[in-house]
Amino acid sequence: MSEALANLLNETRQFPPPAELAANANVTADAYDEAAADRLAFWERQAGRLAWAKQWEQVLDWSKPPFAKWFVGGQLNVAYNCLDRHVEAGRGDKVAIHWEGEPGDTRTITYAELHRLTCQAANALTALGVKAGDRVAIYLPMVPEAAVAMLACARIGATHSVVFGGFSADALTNRIQDATAKVVITADGGYRRGKPSALKPTVDEAVANCPSVEHVLVVRRTGEEVAWSAKDHWWHETVETASTEHAAQPFDAEHPLFILYTSGTTARPKGILHTTGGYLTQTSYTTHAVFDLKPETDVYWCTADIGWVTGHSYIVYGPLSNGATQVMYEGTPDTPHKGRFWEIVDKYQVTILYTAPTLIRTMMKWGEDIPAGFDLSSLRLLGSVGEPINPEAWIWYRQHVGGGRLPIVDTWWQTETGAVMISPLPGVTEAKPGSAMTPLPGVVADVVDDQGQSVPNGGGGYLVLREPWPSMLRTIWGDDNRFIETYWSRFGAGASGGGSGADWIYFAGDGAKKDDDGHIWLLGRVDDVMLVSGHNISTTEVESALVSHPSVAEAAVVGATDPTTGQAIVAFAIPRGSADTAGAAGEQLIADLRNHVAKTLGPIAKPRQIMLVPELPKTRSGKIMRRLLRDVAENRSLGDVTTLQDSSVMDLIASGMSGGKSDED
Ligand code: ATP
Ligand code: MG
């Protein structure tokens, strides 16, 4: 049998943790041994970091796989864990959120204030008839009310479904209908790219087709004129006038906490269901372990939108359950100038920064002079999530943001996993640029071949999870069959008819390899793997080779049908700001890049064709949508573009393609 996925890229750089961080790390290497010795006892101890109203009777019930129950019989309130217990411990005056609006307005919200606001919102939602188990859709910009709305739902046991504020009325309609939401929480609008961007008209359009919606709560942010109907209530007239007293009632550990739809990079979005006790246990523990968060001294900033799982787990539930002080920013990174992020780091003395490879590569494109213009010396730890981070982008991040000294945690996880699964521990791991390294303590991940057999070191294949984990998805909302089909039917018991005795294996949908030391490298989506002359080549390795050329900031590659090789590699590359790409210089750069890839990875990976483009098609969460580029490369009409960030990008690319240079050997 041929290899499942070729291992072409060889990276030898390695960076040990800074000595001081290692000496004071929240989590040390012992955690791996403890978890290996008794995984369930390990997770039980992490659950003990939270406040429970009723102790669980059983850590894990896995008697009806793939449907898991964690901390069976236990009861807790998520909002109590994120707010009340900090206030009760005397930390009410501690800042929870330093909020920065895009126009430069700011709010400083303490734990006591966040608690009061959440109690008011819980009372207001209750007055509108929302009960435990009801669904509430949240469609807000990045304002503190987004966190308040989520916490208020959690407080009363309502299940929230946050829909990213950039989505269209259709996307919002589908999500409201799928969850049959009773209430929608929105705003008149938010600020994006220097101007107000309306949200309420989109909600009006959606709600007209959503008979389940009884009430719409509207936060006033921009002050722009909005249409008004009998279902609408202003937040400031409803929530901000409600009582600030609210006793949080405990809920079962398996009570539904939220539904969140995946980004839609590969397929129709899936409504992922997360529950209460296991989810909070793992998001809280991983915030403590992976970011080495010290609530007394750190200022943490996750740049994700609250509408994505990263915002749920690492803006709201993880940091707040740990009592962190964090920054929340409303707007875009280039408003009013391309140094806005670095200005914010300096202004709030941010110590921990968690962002996405797409942002790092954009910063590379803009040039290192921009971060160099700001004082970033407060930073002590950097994180990355969302896509594989190309080794060169990792090095750039460490060099130009991290002053050449900071550790980087490359965290692999999914909406489905709820929390980080594979990542360095910053005080323990000698990180390699581009590798997520090892499964966290308590997580059992592996790379397997077509047959579900573990691949040896040096081999490539499919990323799987061999044991259930506390923050795992419980199902796809309303679609148990799709849940089983998508994640549990490729390998293990679910593939072989579910015979007892056989193990259930979770299929993540991502390609991966183990390097010679057994460290894990993510290689992109299984759906995107290219089959060139009988070799399975990952998109990530070819993209990383392109990005390692000094003239390239970002790249996407796809396999296009080819009469001789089956599939041929077609690459789209965004040049760095300084690169000369006009006329003959552009032709020369393309020739250089093809040779550079062949030299780095071997002749098999040499792209047939390279296009220099100004932008790439991305989802609204910033991930490259290769399936659309495949449509372009094969001259097909485009597939589903509803989750595409900016549709004009496709026109730009397609027009370049038709007149494009097919630089055949
Ligand atoms: P859909 O499942 O609808 O296609 P999606 O997979 O983009 O959407 P998310 O749950 O937001 O939705 O993304 C999870 C995916 O992001 C992972 O499966 C993986 O492909 C990628 N990813 C996230 N973090 C990393 C990382 N550190 N390294 C490599 N890939 C990552
Ligand atoms: Mg996915």
Side-chain angles (χ1 to χ4, degrees):
M1 191 184 34
S2 70
E3 87 271 302
L5 204 49
N7 173 9
L8 302 175
L9 190 78
N10 183 23
E11 175 62 64
T12 52
R13 292 169 287 190
Q14 204 161 0
F15 299 88
E20 202 203 306
L21 198 157
N24 300 298
N26 285 352
V27 175
T28 62
D30 298 344
Y32 293 112
D33 302 333
E34 287 168 26
D38 189 341
R39 195 172 56 88
L40 296 184
F42 171 82
W43 283 120
E44 185 156 40
R45 275 196 300 283
Q46 307 322 323
R49 299 179 66 253
L50 304 175
W52 294 74
K54 183 165 172 274
Q55 179 73 15
W56 54 90
E57 285 136 28
Q58 190 186 357
V59 182
L60 168 66
D61 176 359
W62 191 229
S63 62
K64 293 190 183 65
F67 300 95
K69 289 186 180 150
W70 281 86
F71 307 111
V72 183
Q75 291 187 353
L76 73 168
N77 186 288
V78 167
Y80 178 87
N81 273 280
C82 291
L83 303 170
D84 305 50
R85 66 172 172 146
H86 306 313
V87 176
E88 286 170 11
R91 296 190 294 269
D93 291 338
K94 183 175 175 8
V95 174
I97 299 175
H98 288 293
W99 181 76
E100 171 100 1
E102 197 189 72
D105 51 333
T106 62
R107 284 166 71 183
T108 307
I109 301 176
T110 63
Y111 272 92
E113 191 179 348
L114 194 60
H115 174 251
R116 273 196 302 275
L117 285 166
T118 301
C119 288
Q120 290 184 307
N123 285 322
L125 287 172
T126 304
L128 291 176
V130 179
K131 294 186 189 60
D134 288 344
R135 272 82 55 207
V136 173
I138 299 176
Y139 183 72
L140 281 170
M142 281 288 284
V143 290
E145 284 79 5
V148 172
M150 291 164 71
L151 290 163
C153 288
R155 194 170 186 92
I156 63 173
T159 305
H160 59 69
S161 165
V162 181
V163 181
F164 173 60
F167 273 131
S168 65
D170 275 352
L172 179 60
T173 305
N174 293 338
R175 287 163 179 75
I176 294 175
Q177 288 178 347
D178 190 55
T180 54
K182 201 167 173 179
V183 167
V184 181
I185 305 179
T186 187
D188 49 3
Y191 286 92
R192 281 196 82 72
R193 297 184 206 290
K195 47 180 196 301
S197 156
L199 288 179
K200 177 74 165 46
T202 312
V203 174
D204 293 343
E205 201 183 325
V207 167
N209 298 311
C210 297
S212 64
V213 175
E214 295 170 14
H215 300 283
V216 179
L217 256 178
V218 189
V219 174
R220 192 162 64 191
R221 164 65 184 136
T222 63
E224 296 212 306
E225 197 81 36
V226 291
W228 209 248
S229 88
K231 289 182 178 179
D232 297 337
H233 312 265
W234 282 115
W235 176 279
H236 59 271
E237 290 175 1
T238 326
V239 174
E240 288 171 14
T241 56
S243 162
T244 56
E245 303 284 316
H246 183 275
Q249 163 204 341
F251 292 98
D252 190 88
E254 284 298 334
H255 187 76
L257 180 64
F258 66 84
I259 302 165
L260 181 64
Y261 294 82
T262 56
S263 314
T265 311
T266 54
R268 179 167 60 88
K270 304 170 274 280
I272 303 303
L273 179 71
H274 282 287
T275 59
T276 297
Y279 173 79
L280 196 64
T281 295
Q282 194 171 338
T283 52
S284 195
Y285 171 70
T286 49
T287 303
H288 168 79
V290 173
F291 301 118
D292 190 46
L293 183 90
K294 312 270 198 274
E296 299 312 318
T297 46
D298 276 317
V299 178
Y300 165 93
W301 182 23
C302 166
T303 69
D305 192 280
I306 250 177
W308 308 120
V309 75
T310 305
H312 284 53
S313 300
Y314 297 107
I315 294 177
V316 180
Y317 297 115
L320 295 177
S321 64
N322 280 287
T325 293
Q326 69 178 312
V327 170
M328 183 176 176
Y329 171 56
E330 177 183 35
T332 45
D334 52 352
T335 308
H337 57 79
K338 293 187 166 118
R340 185 70 188 270
F341 268 30
W342 315 124
E343 192 175 74
I344 291 174
V345 167
D346 186 10
K347 176 174 177 183
Y348 295 102
Q349 294 288 291
V350 171
T351 59
I352 301 171
L353 179 70
Y354 192 29
T355 192
T358 183
L359 218 126
I360 297 160
R361 293 185 301 244
T362 301
M363 301 291 180
M364 283 171 76
K365 183 171 72 177
W366 291 344
E368 56 250 30
D369 299 356
I370 295 173
F374 296 87
D375 180 6
L376 306 180
S377 61
S378 57
L379 289 168
R380 70 177 191 94
L381 191 142
L382 305 174
S384 169
V385 61
E387 289 179 291
I389 178 166
N390 317 107
E392 233 34 66
W394 195 104
I395 293 287
W396 190 95
Y397 194 25
R398 178 175 161 99
Q399 204 54 40
H400 299 291
V401 179
R405 64 195 163 88
L406 301 192
I408 298 176
V409 287
D410 173 12
T411 62
W412 178 87
W413 60 295
Q414 313 176 294
T415 308
E416 294 88 340
T417 68
V420 177
M421 302 294 281
I422 307 176
S423 164
L425 280 179
V428 179
T429 313
E430 276 198 39
K432 297 173 182 171
S435 172
M437 302 299 290
T438 30
L440 288 178
V443 171
V444 187
D446 197 3
V447 181
V448 302
D449 63 19
D450 297 339
Q451 308 301 309
Q453 301 299 316
S454 209
V455 303
N457 288 353
Y462 307 93
L463 184 72
V464 298
L465 299 167
R466 291 193 175 276
E467 298 290 347
W469 62 100
S471 62
M472 67 196 285
L473 77 167
R474 298 306 195 256
T475 189
I476 292 177
W477 180 256
D479 201 344
D480 286 349
N481 287 333
R482 193 177 180 204
F483 169 65
I484 296 170
E485 194 52 43
T486 308
Y487 307 109
W488 302 98
S489 300
R490 182 82 170 241
F491 300 113
S496 56
S500 62
D503 285 329
W504 286 76
I505 297 178
Y506 174 90
F507 170 58
D510 286 340
K513 71 176 184 190
K514 293 181 193 164
D515 68 14
D516 292 338
D517 303 320
H519 294 131
I520 295 178
W521 295 69
L522 276 302
L523 295 182
R525 316 307 181 110
V526 168
D527 300 8
D528 291 335
V529 168
M530 304 172 288
L531 185 61
V532 183
S533 305
H535 295 274
N536 280 308
I537 297 180
S538 96
T539 52
T540 303
E541 292 202 318
V542 181
E543 288 162 6
S544 290
L546 284 163
V547 175
S548 74
H549 188 281
S551 297
V552 176
E554 181 151 33
V557 306
V558 298
T561 311
D562 185 273
T564 43
T565 56
Q567 278 190 322
I569 300 176
V570 176
F572 300 78
I574 302 181
R576 289 212 201 186
S578 53
D580 181 6
T581 57
E587 302 280 356
Q588 187 57 48
L589 176 58
I590 288 171
D592 289 351
L593 290 176
R594 293 182 67 228
N595 291 329
H596 175 74
V597 174
K599 211 172 109 223
T600 313
L601 301 179
I604 184 75
K606 186 173 188 173
R608 179 185 74 187
Q609 194 176 358
I610 297 182
M611 300 275 311
L612 300 178
V613 294
E615 249 313 331
L616 291 168
K618 290 182 184 162
T619 61
R620 284 156 204 268
S621 58
K623 297 179 206 268
I624 298 171
M625 274 167 106
R626 290 175 195 74
R627 63 181 167 82
L628 296 182
L629 292 173
R630 214 152 41 224
D631 291 342
V632 172
E634 297 193 327
N635 295 314
R636 271 193 308 272
S637 57
L638 296 183
D640 180 12
V641 292
T642 50
T643 57
L644 185 65
Q645 193 172 38
D646 174 3
S647 54
S648 65
V649 167
M650 291 316 295
D651 301 338
L652 265 177
I653 293 172
S655 65
M657 193 79 190
S658 54
K661 1 185 170 342
S662 175
D663 185 23
E664 303 269 354
D665 268 350

